[in-house]
Amino acid sequence: MDLTHPTPATKPSPPELSLSRPVHRLDPHSLDLHHDATTMRKAGAVVPVQLPGGVPVWAITRDATARAALRNTDIFRKDARHWAALQRGDIPADWPLIGLAAPAGRSMVTTDGVDHWRLRGPLSTVFTETRVRALRASIDIITKKLLADLADAATVADDGIADFRQLVAWPLPMTVISLLLGLPESEHEALRAEYEVFFDDTCDPTAALAAIEDIITRHLDAKRRHPGEDLTSALLQLPDDEQLTTEELVATVQVLIAAGHETTVHLLVNGVLALTSHRDQLDLLLQGEVSWDRAVEEILRWQPPTANFLLRFATRDSVLGDAFIRRGEPVMISYAAMGRDPDRYGPTADDFDITREGGHTSFGHGPHACIGTPLARLEGKVALKALFSRWPDLAPAGPAPRSPSVLMNSRTCLPICLRPSHHPHEAGAAK
């Protein structure tokens, strides 16, 4: 069933699963990623799918199977040098997902084993529960300011509507991660524009990646000249035997910026959509019957910020689920499918229920589990609690279109009315 000690094995009985026969073709313009996730999950625990651009991968759709694979970094590794199709030249250099499927540069995201821990180690002391709790006062202050900006924008607008994503969900995590890294606010808008391209599955990411790398390189140069009490300066001042190369520094800071803001943006937007479309659940929170911590966990399970995560590569032939995976084939983790896996969550897996217990795997599992999990959870709790405590009757005020992505569970905007006279139809609310 689950991968524990896989060995080269006899191929499963017909019909044999094969990357040449996908059970589903993922489309960045899909209107319902959970329909896609259900289609994949019903086809099996590990199934062949096709990414945009016709790139075939194995998708893991069941929680227990994914956890087994995520723990086994001996067989499923992050280094794209193990990707046979990439090494053969079958993957175009301008493939829109190349920056996420096979990131350039060595960082904790692209390495395993000793190298992974060498690159992750300097960060592990920063993102502890204790260190993150110390940021609470700063997050409170930033959130208060952004909610004031949201109120001002709604007041100025003729229709009383403001974009929660633009004014709160994006700037909050970007401001917080920038404080940690010592990154100046003057770079925020440029980073916003470049990351919008980077996470758009329909765009060539080459220019955006170059622009992001240029911003980070300039930032590193500035911190070499004028170090401060920030994480970037600390990375530059590691002991000689722990020093990172310039390439590793650029890649590491890029990962921290991307992971430090992107998923939290979607947590906040998806949280507003989930709670405003389940008023009974919101009432439990506002009445103090359920904690906001529990709400954040259920939002992460029901609408994981990352729908599908790229990629790991098989280092040898092995069996996973009912699939025979050959050496060099790529494996994708489908958090959207796992989050509503009835094998783990039972017959109510599709229901949004903040009283649910049992956790989730939306931040990953094993050695590569998201290092910024405590920070994302805190930002989600602080911002959502402050928002709904101030405007308990707020409601979506128009469509919240999905971003063109098969990887991120994101919306391009979230217009909201802060004081509606009644609850309008929650247009664009996630299913």
Side-chain angles (χ1 to χ4, degrees), residues 117-132:
W117 289 112
R118 181 177 69 84
L119 293 165
R120 185 180 174 111
L123 309 174
S124 60
T125 59
V126 175
F127 292 100
T128 63
E129 295 278 358
T130 301
R131 293 290 294 271
V132 167

Side-chain angles (χ1 to χ4, degrees), residues 250-281:
V250 171
T252 295
V253 174
Q254 180 178 333
V255 166
L256 289 172
I257 296 172
H261 86 275
E262 184 71 14
T263 54
T264 306
V265 174
H266 311 325
L267 164 60
L268 295 174
V269 170
N270 294 337
V272 171
L273 288 170
L275 292 170
T276 54
S277 59
H278 296 82
R279 294 282 172 178
D280 58 328
Q281 305 283 295

Side-chain angles (χ1 to χ4, degrees), residues 17 43 55 79 86 147 158 168 207 247 325 355 378 387 390 392:
L17 295 170
V55 175
D79 191 337
L86 182 67
L147 293 183
D158 292 338
V168 179
E247 178 192 48
I325 300 177
T355 68
L378 179 60
L387 177 73
R390 183 167 178 175

